[in-house]
Short mmCIF file of all heavy atoms in Angstrom, two decimals:
data_model
loop_
_atom_site.label_atom_id
_atom_site.label_comp_id
_atom_site.label_asym_id
_atom_site.label_seq_id
_atom_site.Cartn_x
_atom_site.Cartn_y
_atom_site.Cartn_z
N ARG A 82 -8.87 -17.35 12.70
CA ARG A 82 -9.37 -16.52 11.61
C ARG A 82 -8.47 -16.56 10.37
O ARG A 82 -8.87 -16.77 9.27
CB ARG A 82 -9.62 -15.12 12.05
CG ARG A 82 -10.24 -14.31 10.94
CD ARG A 82 -10.40 -12.84 11.41
NE ARG A 82 -10.87 -12.02 10.32
CZ ARG A 82 -12.15 -11.98 9.92
NH1 ARG A 82 -13.02 -12.73 10.49
NH2 ARG A 82 -12.54 -11.25 8.93
N GLU A 83 -7.06 -16.42 10.67
CA GLU A 83 -6.15 -16.52 9.59
C GLU A 83 -6.28 -17.78 8.82
O GLU A 83 -6.25 -17.85 7.63
CB GLU A 83 -4.72 -16.35 10.15
CG GLU A 83 -4.23 -14.95 10.38
CD GLU A 83 -2.77 -14.96 10.71
OE1 GLU A 83 -2.30 -15.84 11.45
OE2 GLU A 83 -2.09 -14.03 10.24
N SER A 84 -6.43 -18.90 9.57
CA SER A 84 -6.55 -20.21 9.00
C SER A 84 -7.83 -20.33 8.12
O SER A 84 -7.80 -20.86 7.04
CB SER A 84 -6.53 -21.23 10.10
OG SER A 84 -6.70 -22.54 9.55
N SER A 85 -8.94 -19.82 8.67
CA SER A 85 -10.20 -19.90 7.97
C SER A 85 -10.17 -19.09 6.71
O SER A 85 -10.75 -19.47 5.64
CB SER A 85 -11.38 -19.48 8.89
OG SER A 85 -11.26 -18.16 9.23
N VAL A 86 -9.56 -17.87 6.78
CA VAL A 86 -9.43 -17.00 5.60
C VAL A 86 -8.61 -17.74 4.51
O VAL A 86 -8.94 -17.74 3.34
CB VAL A 86 -8.80 -15.67 6.00
CG1 VAL A 86 -8.40 -14.91 4.69
CG2 VAL A 86 -9.77 -14.80 6.82
N GLU A 87 -7.51 -18.33 4.95
CA GLU A 87 -6.65 -19.07 4.04
C GLU A 87 -7.40 -20.16 3.35
O GLU A 87 -7.29 -20.36 2.12
CB GLU A 87 -5.45 -19.63 4.80
CG GLU A 87 -4.42 -20.33 3.93
CD GLU A 87 -3.23 -20.84 4.72
OE1 GLU A 87 -2.33 -20.03 5.01
OE2 GLU A 87 -3.27 -22.00 5.11
N GLU A 88 -8.15 -20.91 4.11
CA GLU A 88 -8.88 -22.05 3.51
C GLU A 88 -9.93 -21.57 2.58
O GLU A 88 -10.16 -22.15 1.51
CB GLU A 88 -9.58 -22.85 4.66
CG GLU A 88 -8.65 -23.73 5.52
CD GLU A 88 -7.96 -24.78 4.65
OE1 GLU A 88 -8.60 -25.42 3.83
OE2 GLU A 88 -6.73 -24.94 4.79
N ALA A 89 -10.58 -20.44 2.94
CA ALA A 89 -11.60 -19.88 2.06
C ALA A 89 -10.98 -19.41 0.72
O ALA A 89 -11.61 -19.66 -0.34
CB ALA A 89 -12.29 -18.67 2.71
N LEU A 90 -9.82 -18.82 0.79
CA LEU A 90 -9.15 -18.41 -0.46
C LEU A 90 -8.78 -19.55 -1.33
O LEU A 90 -8.95 -19.59 -2.52
CB LEU A 90 -7.88 -17.59 -0.12
CG LEU A 90 -8.11 -16.20 0.51
CD1 LEU A 90 -6.77 -15.60 0.96
CD2 LEU A 90 -8.77 -15.25 -0.48
N ILE A 91 -8.27 -20.60 -0.70
CA ILE A 91 -7.96 -21.82 -1.49
C ILE A 91 -9.16 -22.40 -2.11
O ILE A 91 -9.21 -22.80 -3.28
CB ILE A 91 -7.28 -22.86 -0.55
CG1 ILE A 91 -5.88 -22.42 -0.15
CG2 ILE A 91 -7.15 -24.23 -1.24
CD1 ILE A 91 -5.19 -23.26 0.86
N GLU A 92 -10.29 -22.42 -1.32
CA GLU A 92 -11.53 -23.01 -1.87
C GLU A 92 -12.03 -22.16 -3.07
O GLU A 92 -12.56 -22.70 -4.04
CB GLU A 92 -12.64 -23.06 -0.77
CG GLU A 92 -12.44 -24.15 0.19
CD GLU A 92 -12.41 -25.48 -0.43
OE1 GLU A 92 -13.21 -25.78 -1.29
OE2 GLU A 92 -11.49 -26.33 -0.05
N MET A 93 -11.83 -20.84 -2.98
CA MET A 93 -12.25 -19.97 -4.10
C MET A 93 -11.44 -20.28 -5.33
O MET A 93 -11.95 -20.38 -6.41
CB MET A 93 -12.14 -18.47 -3.74
CG MET A 93 -13.31 -17.95 -2.91
SD MET A 93 -13.20 -16.16 -2.72
CE MET A 93 -12.20 -16.03 -1.27
N TYR A 94 -10.17 -20.53 -5.12
CA TYR A 94 -9.31 -20.84 -6.25
C TYR A 94 -9.68 -22.21 -6.86
O TYR A 94 -9.78 -22.41 -8.04
CB TYR A 94 -7.83 -20.87 -5.84
CG TYR A 94 -6.93 -21.44 -6.92
CD1 TYR A 94 -6.58 -20.68 -8.04
CD2 TYR A 94 -6.48 -22.75 -6.86
CE1 TYR A 94 -5.81 -21.22 -9.06
CE2 TYR A 94 -5.66 -23.30 -7.87
CZ TYR A 94 -5.36 -22.52 -8.96
OH TYR A 94 -4.63 -23.06 -9.96
N LEU A 95 -9.94 -23.15 -5.93
CA LEU A 95 -10.37 -24.48 -6.41
C LEU A 95 -11.67 -24.45 -7.14
O LEU A 95 -11.89 -25.30 -8.02
CB LEU A 95 -10.42 -25.43 -5.20
CG LEU A 95 -9.13 -25.83 -4.53
CD1 LEU A 95 -9.38 -26.70 -3.32
CD2 LEU A 95 -8.19 -26.51 -5.45
N ALA A 96 -12.52 -23.46 -6.85
CA ALA A 96 -13.75 -23.35 -7.52
C ALA A 96 -13.58 -22.64 -8.85
O ALA A 96 -14.57 -22.40 -9.57
CB ALA A 96 -14.76 -22.58 -6.65
N GLY A 97 -12.35 -22.17 -9.16
CA GLY A 97 -12.10 -21.54 -10.46
C GLY A 97 -12.34 -20.03 -10.49
O GLY A 97 -12.56 -19.47 -11.54
N VAL A 98 -12.34 -19.44 -9.34
CA VAL A 98 -12.59 -18.00 -9.21
C VAL A 98 -11.29 -17.31 -9.59
O VAL A 98 -10.25 -17.63 -9.17
CB VAL A 98 -13.04 -17.55 -7.79
CG1 VAL A 98 -13.23 -16.04 -7.74
CG2 VAL A 98 -14.28 -18.31 -7.42
N SER A 99 -11.36 -16.27 -10.48
CA SER A 99 -10.22 -15.51 -10.94
C SER A 99 -9.56 -14.73 -9.82
O SER A 99 -10.17 -14.39 -8.83
CB SER A 99 -10.58 -14.53 -12.02
OG SER A 99 -11.43 -13.55 -11.53
N VAL A 100 -8.30 -14.38 -9.97
CA VAL A 100 -7.51 -13.65 -8.98
C VAL A 100 -8.19 -12.32 -8.69
O VAL A 100 -8.32 -11.89 -7.51
CB VAL A 100 -6.07 -13.45 -9.41
CG1 VAL A 100 -5.31 -12.49 -8.43
CG2 VAL A 100 -5.31 -14.79 -9.47
N ARG A 101 -8.55 -11.56 -9.75
CA ARG A 101 -9.22 -10.30 -9.53
C ARG A 101 -10.56 -10.46 -8.76
O ARG A 101 -10.85 -9.63 -7.86
CB ARG A 101 -9.50 -9.69 -10.91
CG ARG A 101 -10.17 -8.27 -10.81
CD ARG A 101 -10.42 -7.73 -12.17
NE ARG A 101 -9.22 -7.50 -12.93
CZ ARG A 101 -8.45 -6.36 -12.84
NH1 ARG A 101 -8.88 -5.41 -12.00
NH2 ARG A 101 -7.36 -6.26 -13.52
N ARG A 102 -11.27 -11.47 -9.06
CA ARG A 102 -12.50 -11.70 -8.35
C ARG A 102 -12.22 -12.04 -6.90
O ARG A 102 -13.03 -11.63 -5.99
CB ARG A 102 -13.31 -12.85 -9.03
CG ARG A 102 -14.68 -13.11 -8.41
CD ARG A 102 -15.60 -11.92 -8.62
NE ARG A 102 -16.93 -12.19 -8.06
CZ ARG A 102 -17.68 -11.28 -7.47
NH1 ARG A 102 -17.24 -10.06 -7.34
NH2 ARG A 102 -18.87 -11.60 -7.04
N VAL A 103 -11.19 -12.85 -6.59
CA VAL A 103 -10.82 -13.17 -5.24
C VAL A 103 -10.53 -11.89 -4.43
O VAL A 103 -10.92 -11.76 -3.30
CB VAL A 103 -9.60 -14.13 -5.19
CG1 VAL A 103 -9.13 -14.24 -3.79
CG2 VAL A 103 -10.03 -15.50 -5.78
N GLU A 104 -9.79 -10.95 -5.08
CA GLU A 104 -9.50 -9.65 -4.41
C GLU A 104 -10.79 -8.96 -4.01
O GLU A 104 -10.93 -8.46 -2.93
CB GLU A 104 -8.67 -8.83 -5.32
CG GLU A 104 -7.23 -9.29 -5.55
CD GLU A 104 -6.49 -8.32 -6.43
OE1 GLU A 104 -6.80 -7.14 -6.53
OE2 GLU A 104 -5.52 -8.74 -7.06
N ASP A 105 -11.73 -8.89 -4.91
CA ASP A 105 -13.04 -8.22 -4.65
C ASP A 105 -13.76 -8.88 -3.55
O ASP A 105 -14.41 -8.22 -2.65
CB ASP A 105 -13.89 -8.18 -5.96
CG ASP A 105 -13.21 -7.28 -7.06
OD1 ASP A 105 -12.41 -6.43 -6.69
OD2 ASP A 105 -13.56 -7.49 -8.22
N ILE A 106 -13.80 -10.24 -3.61
CA ILE A 106 -14.53 -10.98 -2.61
C ILE A 106 -13.98 -10.79 -1.19
O ILE A 106 -14.66 -10.57 -0.22
CB ILE A 106 -14.60 -12.49 -2.97
CG1 ILE A 106 -15.46 -12.73 -4.21
CG2 ILE A 106 -15.13 -13.33 -1.81
CD1 ILE A 106 -15.38 -14.15 -4.78
N THR A 107 -12.66 -10.84 -1.06
CA THR A 107 -11.97 -10.69 0.22
C THR A 107 -12.21 -9.29 0.80
O THR A 107 -12.44 -9.16 1.97
CB THR A 107 -10.50 -10.98 0.12
OG1 THR A 107 -9.88 -10.07 -0.89
CG2 THR A 107 -10.19 -12.38 -0.24
N GLU A 108 -12.27 -8.30 -0.09
CA GLU A 108 -12.54 -6.97 0.38
C GLU A 108 -13.99 -6.87 0.94
O GLU A 108 -14.23 -6.22 1.91
CB GLU A 108 -12.32 -5.96 -0.73
CG GLU A 108 -12.48 -4.47 -0.25
CD GLU A 108 -12.19 -3.45 -1.33
OE1 GLU A 108 -12.40 -3.78 -2.53
OE2 GLU A 108 -11.72 -2.38 -0.94
N ALA A 109 -14.94 -7.49 0.20
CA ALA A 109 -16.30 -7.45 0.61
C ALA A 109 -16.54 -8.22 1.93
O ALA A 109 -17.27 -7.79 2.77
CB ALA A 109 -17.21 -8.03 -0.48
N LEU A 110 -15.81 -9.31 2.09
CA LEU A 110 -16.04 -10.15 3.29
C LEU A 110 -15.29 -9.68 4.49
O LEU A 110 -15.80 -9.67 5.59
CB LEU A 110 -15.61 -11.61 3.01
CG LEU A 110 -16.56 -12.44 2.01
CD1 LEU A 110 -15.89 -13.79 1.81
CD2 LEU A 110 -17.93 -12.54 2.53
N TRP A 111 -13.99 -9.22 4.30
CA TRP A 111 -13.16 -8.97 5.41
C TRP A 111 -12.67 -7.56 5.53
O TRP A 111 -11.83 -7.21 6.36
CB TRP A 111 -11.97 -9.93 5.43
CG TRP A 111 -12.43 -11.36 5.48
CD1 TRP A 111 -13.18 -11.93 6.43
CD2 TRP A 111 -12.23 -12.37 4.53
NE1 TRP A 111 -13.44 -13.24 6.12
CE2 TRP A 111 -12.87 -13.57 4.96
CE3 TRP A 111 -11.50 -12.46 3.27
CZ2 TRP A 111 -12.83 -14.73 4.26
CZ3 TRP A 111 -11.51 -13.62 2.56
CH2 TRP A 111 -12.14 -14.81 3.07
N GLY A 112 -13.12 -6.68 4.58
CA GLY A 112 -12.74 -5.28 4.71
C GLY A 112 -11.48 -4.89 4.08
O GLY A 112 -11.16 -3.69 4.02
N SER A 113 -10.67 -5.81 3.60
CA SER A 113 -9.39 -5.49 2.91
C SER A 113 -9.09 -6.57 1.86
O SER A 113 -9.48 -7.73 2.01
CB SER A 113 -8.24 -5.45 3.95
OG SER A 113 -8.08 -6.71 4.60
N LYS A 114 -8.38 -6.12 0.82
CA LYS A 114 -8.07 -7.01 -0.25
C LYS A 114 -6.86 -7.89 0.13
O LYS A 114 -5.99 -7.51 0.84
CB LYS A 114 -7.67 -6.24 -1.52
CG LYS A 114 -8.84 -5.59 -2.18
CD LYS A 114 -8.43 -4.96 -3.53
CE LYS A 114 -9.63 -4.31 -4.18
NZ LYS A 114 -9.29 -3.73 -5.51
N VAL A 115 -6.88 -9.13 -0.40
CA VAL A 115 -5.71 -10.00 -0.25
C VAL A 115 -4.84 -9.81 -1.49
O VAL A 115 -5.37 -9.77 -2.61
CB VAL A 115 -6.15 -11.50 -0.12
CG1 VAL A 115 -4.93 -12.43 -0.13
CG2 VAL A 115 -6.99 -11.71 1.11
N SER A 116 -3.53 -9.54 -1.31
CA SER A 116 -2.66 -9.22 -2.42
C SER A 116 -2.50 -10.37 -3.36
O SER A 116 -2.66 -11.57 -2.97
CB SER A 116 -1.29 -8.86 -1.88
OG SER A 116 -0.62 -9.93 -1.30
N PRO A 117 -2.23 -10.05 -4.69
CA PRO A 117 -1.98 -11.09 -5.66
C PRO A 117 -0.90 -12.08 -5.25
O PRO A 117 -0.98 -13.25 -5.52
CB PRO A 117 -1.62 -10.32 -6.88
CG PRO A 117 -2.32 -9.02 -6.75
CD PRO A 117 -2.22 -8.71 -5.30
N SER A 118 0.17 -11.53 -4.56
CA SER A 118 1.27 -12.44 -4.12
C SER A 118 0.79 -13.44 -3.07
O SER A 118 1.17 -14.63 -3.07
CB SER A 118 2.40 -11.58 -3.50
OG SER A 118 1.97 -10.84 -2.38
N THR A 119 -0.15 -12.99 -2.19
CA THR A 119 -0.71 -13.90 -1.18
C THR A 119 -1.54 -14.96 -1.90
O THR A 119 -1.44 -16.16 -1.55
CB THR A 119 -1.57 -13.15 -0.19
OG1 THR A 119 -0.76 -12.19 0.49
CG2 THR A 119 -2.19 -14.10 0.87
N ILE A 120 -2.32 -14.58 -2.85
CA ILE A 120 -3.12 -15.51 -3.59
C ILE A 120 -2.30 -16.51 -4.31
O ILE A 120 -2.62 -17.69 -4.40
CB ILE A 120 -4.09 -14.75 -4.58
CG1 ILE A 120 -5.06 -13.87 -3.79
CG2 ILE A 120 -4.87 -15.70 -5.46
CD1 ILE A 120 -5.87 -12.93 -4.66
N SER A 121 -1.17 -16.00 -4.89
CA SER A 121 -0.22 -16.89 -5.58
C SER A 121 0.32 -17.92 -4.64
O SER A 121 0.43 -19.12 -5.01
CB SER A 121 0.93 -16.06 -6.20
OG SER A 121 1.80 -16.90 -6.85
N GLU A 122 0.68 -17.56 -3.44
CA GLU A 122 1.20 -18.56 -2.46
C GLU A 122 0.16 -19.54 -2.13
O GLU A 122 0.41 -20.74 -2.01
CB GLU A 122 1.71 -17.80 -1.23
CG GLU A 122 3.01 -17.06 -1.39
CD GLU A 122 4.16 -18.02 -1.76
OE1 GLU A 122 4.25 -19.06 -1.14
OE2 GLU A 122 4.87 -17.72 -2.72
N LEU A 123 -1.04 -19.05 -1.96
CA LEU A 123 -2.19 -19.98 -1.59
C LEU A 123 -2.49 -20.89 -2.78
O LEU A 123 -2.86 -22.04 -2.61
CB LEU A 123 -3.38 -19.19 -1.23
CG LEU A 123 -3.29 -18.45 0.08
CD1 LEU A 123 -4.46 -17.48 0.30
CD2 LEU A 123 -3.30 -19.39 1.29
N ASN A 124 -2.26 -20.38 -4.00
CA ASN A 124 -2.52 -21.24 -5.16
C ASN A 124 -1.54 -22.43 -5.18
O ASN A 124 -1.87 -23.50 -5.56
CB ASN A 124 -2.37 -20.43 -6.50
CG ASN A 124 -3.56 -19.55 -6.74
OD1 ASN A 124 -4.55 -19.63 -6.03
ND2 ASN A 124 -3.48 -18.67 -7.71
N LYS A 125 -0.27 -22.19 -4.70
CA LYS A 125 0.67 -23.26 -4.66
C LYS A 125 0.21 -24.37 -3.65
O LYS A 125 0.37 -25.56 -3.88
CB LYS A 125 2.01 -22.71 -4.19
CG LYS A 125 2.71 -21.84 -5.19
CD LYS A 125 4.02 -21.27 -4.66
CE LYS A 125 4.68 -20.33 -5.66
NZ LYS A 125 5.95 -19.77 -5.10
N LYS A 126 -0.41 -23.86 -2.52
CA LYS A 126 -1.00 -24.83 -1.58
C LYS A 126 -2.16 -25.55 -2.26
O LYS A 126 -2.39 -26.73 -2.00
CB LYS A 126 -1.44 -24.08 -0.31
CG LYS A 126 -0.34 -23.53 0.47
CD LYS A 126 -0.88 -22.92 1.78
CE LYS A 126 0.20 -22.36 2.70
NZ LYS A 126 -0.35 -21.77 3.91
N ALA A 127 -2.97 -24.77 -3.04
CA ALA A 127 -4.06 -25.35 -3.73
C ALA A 127 -3.67 -26.47 -4.66
O ALA A 127 -4.34 -27.48 -4.80
CB ALA A 127 -4.86 -24.28 -4.46
N TYR A 128 -2.51 -26.29 -5.32
CA TYR A 128 -2.01 -27.30 -6.25
C TYR A 128 -1.79 -28.62 -5.46
O TYR A 128 -2.10 -29.75 -5.94
CB TYR A 128 -0.64 -26.86 -6.84
CG TYR A 128 -0.83 -26.09 -8.12
CD1 TYR A 128 -1.88 -25.22 -8.32
CD2 TYR A 128 0.08 -26.25 -9.16
CE1 TYR A 128 -2.03 -24.49 -9.43
CE2 TYR A 128 -0.04 -25.51 -10.34
CZ TYR A 128 -1.16 -24.62 -10.47
OH TYR A 128 -1.20 -23.95 -11.65
N VAL A 129 -1.25 -28.48 -4.20
CA VAL A 129 -1.08 -29.67 -3.38
C VAL A 129 -2.41 -30.35 -3.06
O VAL A 129 -2.57 -31.55 -3.11
CB VAL A 129 -0.29 -29.34 -2.10
CG1 VAL A 129 -0.19 -30.54 -1.20
CG2 VAL A 129 1.02 -28.74 -2.39
#
């Protein structure tokens, strides 16, 4: 699940979804927000 959540976050970033919107989406899907620092780390992976 951790892996699938991570991949989903990266895909959202790759699709051009804003950080604020990613927070809202993760809360709606998984019941809790993903922190901006986590999104930032995933963005680095997205760059790769």
Side-chain angles (χ1 to χ4, degrees):
R82 181 182 178 80
E83 275 188 324
S84 177
S85 65
V86 168
E87 181 178 280
E88 288 298 317
L90 290 173
I91 291 174
E92 286 302 316
M93 278 189 274
Y94 171 75
L95 292 177
V98 180
S99 67
V100 172
R101 183 181 294 274
R102 184 64 179 145
V103 170
E104 290 182 24
D105 293 340
I106 291 172
T107 55
E108 184 175 32
L110 290 177
W111 301 301
S113 60
K114 289 186 178 181
V115 175
S116 69
S118 61
T119 300
I120 296 172
S121 178
E122 285 299 312
L123 289 170
N124 285 352
K125 292 178 182 178
K126 291 184 179 181
Y128 272 36
V129 175

